[in-house]
Each structure stands twice: as C-alpha cells, then as structure tokens.
Amino acid sequence: MKPNTYIYLLTSALILISHSSFAQDEDLDIVKNYISVDPILPLFGTFQANYERGIGTNTSLGVSFGYKGSSGVFEVTQISFDRFDSNDLNFSGFKIIPEFRWYFQKRKSGLNGLYLGAYFKYQDASADLGGVYRSRNDEVSEILIDANLKSSVFGIELGYKWQLKKGFFIDLIFAGPGFSTNRITLTEISAVPQAFYDDLSEALQDIGIIDFIDPDFRVNGNQETKITLPAWRYGIKLGYAF
C-alpha cells in the first residue's frame, strides 16, 4: 500500500470517529478538544500544529501537520567525504502524523497525565545536493543533484500531559521508538560519475548503523533507493483545551 493511501485511510478514520464522538457527547464524562504547537521546531525551520480529540473517558485520536521551509537558526551539516564537500544542504517539505493515545487515568477534568500511544508519520522532503567532486584519478566534476526523501514511520510513544490553569497544557513525548521505511531518489541535474555514488555509499556505510542493517546498501542516481531504519519520536507541545 502506498504512503498516500495510508494518509487517506488514517485521516478518513480520524474524521469519522471524531464525528461519532460529537454525536455521543452527552454520554461521555470527557468531551475535550486540544490544539497545540511545538515551540522548539521553529528553531530548526519547521512549524508543526496538532489537533487531538477525546473519543472516550481516557482515549483520543490526534493528527499533526508540519512544514519544514529551511534549516532555521542552525546550519545543516554538510555531506563530506575524502573527495567531496557539499554546499549547504537544506531540506524542505511536509509531514503528517496521525496518532492514537490511551491515558492511564480516567479524569473528568480532561485527558491528562501519563499516556501510551501509537503513531504513523509520513514525510516528504527535498533538497539540492551540490558541490565539487574529485575522483581517485584527480578528475574534477561539478555535482548538482535534486535529492528527495520519502519516509513512512510506525511507532509507539510514551508521554505526559500537564493540565495548567485556564485550559492551557504542556504535552511532553519523552519516548517514541519505531521503525521507518525510507525511499531516497537522487535525480541528476547534470551528469554525475558513478564513482561519486560509490564513494557516497561507502561514506554512508561508515556511519555504522546502515552497514549493520544492510551491508549491501548502495545509492544510485536517477533511481529509487530503499532502506529501513530505526526511528525515534520526542518533543514538547504547548496548547489549549476547550
């Protein structure tokens, strides 16, 4: 099933269940809506908003939408190896994160306290990869590539929500292990020597975790490269309940 199909199904389920919960409001002790933003992500050029809706006395469905437009106040580390140093690498794109939560305590004052959840994240980001590459034969090539990364992440999360005064709250996700399936596409704007991709693959394997998961991992131009990696989610949100 394609990632876009996952997004459609999960978002449709969220809308249907939310409408159902409104119809049952008179039978629920907890009828709460929560909107929040991540105050840290803008420092990294990303803006993310979340909506959570209680569907029971201690369960909820939520969805987050995020957009990354730049690297923010922090410069992105360049891709570098022996014969290549890239220009600044700034990924931009969007992400969507549907999630389900189960709160350990039932509270008539709202959904707060310790919770366990499950989430799915889909993101699509692109960047221009450029620089000068010098081969082992001292041949110099200008590299200009359109890089695209599509990721689908499945995981669980553990967090805590503090209800503050006048409807405000703090939501902290402190553990969110999962796994991601990633599709990397490098589209050449100008011709790139194969030696560059060989050296790039070796440099990525030197990171360690990629070589451990897939010792035959290789990046190639003008085609899709797939790899599955561990993932981790964490964050803090400030919001308002109504």
Side-chain angles (χ1 to χ4, degrees), residues 36-206:
S36 60
V37 295
D38 189 315
I40 306 299
L41 287 180
L43 296 176
F44 299 91
T46 299
F47 298 88
Q48 181 171 309
N50 173 265
Y51 171 71
E52 181 185 5
R53 170 69 184 177
I55 59 173
T57 54
N58 64 335
T59 56
S60 71
L61 285 175
V63 62
S64 296
F65 296 95
Y67 176 76
K68 182 175 180 62
S70 70
S71 296
V73 298
F74 297 96
E75 294 184 358
V76 176
T77 302
Q78 298 174 328
I79 294 179
S80 301
F81 48 87
D82 290 343
R83 285 166 295 281
F84 178 75
D85 289 310
S86 74
N87 300 328
D88 290 342
L89 190 63
N90 294 312
F91 274 95
S92 62
F94 73 93
K95 60 182 174 180
I96 179 172
I97 312 173
E99 61 183 308
F100 169 82
R101 289 182 177 182
W102 178 76
Y103 290 80
F104 284 81
Q105 293 181 324
K106 297 180 180 180
R107 297 174 184 265
K108 292 185 178 181
S109 59
L111 297 175
N112 53 76
L114 188 67
Y115 62 82
L116 179 67
Y119 69 91
F120 167 77
K121 178 173 74 172
Y122 175 75
Q123 64 179 15
D124 187 325
S126 299
D128 291 330
L129 174 60
V132 176
Y133 170 71
R134 184 181 297 275
S135 71
R136 290 179 172 85
N137 298 325
D138 288 332
E139 295 180 356
V140 177
S141 302
E142 183 177 354
I143 305 298
L144 187 57
I145 294 174
D146 180 17
N148 177 259
L149 171 65
K150 293 182 174 66
S151 298
S152 298
V153 183
F154 298 87
I156 59 175
E157 61 186 14
L158 186 66
Y160 197 95
K161 183 191 290 181
W162 287 271
Q163 192 68 45
L164 306 177
K165 294 181 178 180
K166 298 182 179 180
F168 292 97
F169 65 88
I170 299 175
D171 187 354
L172 175 64
I173 301 174
F174 49 81
F179 70 93
S180 65
T181 56
N182 305 277
R183 297 184 294 161
I184 305 168
T185 304
L186 302 180
T187 303
E188 298 175 0
I189 299 176
S190 58
V192 174
Q194 180 59 41
F196 169 78
Y197 295 113
D198 294 337
D199 288 341
L200 176 60
S201 298
E202 291 180 7
L204 292 174
Q205 286 184 336
D206 287 342

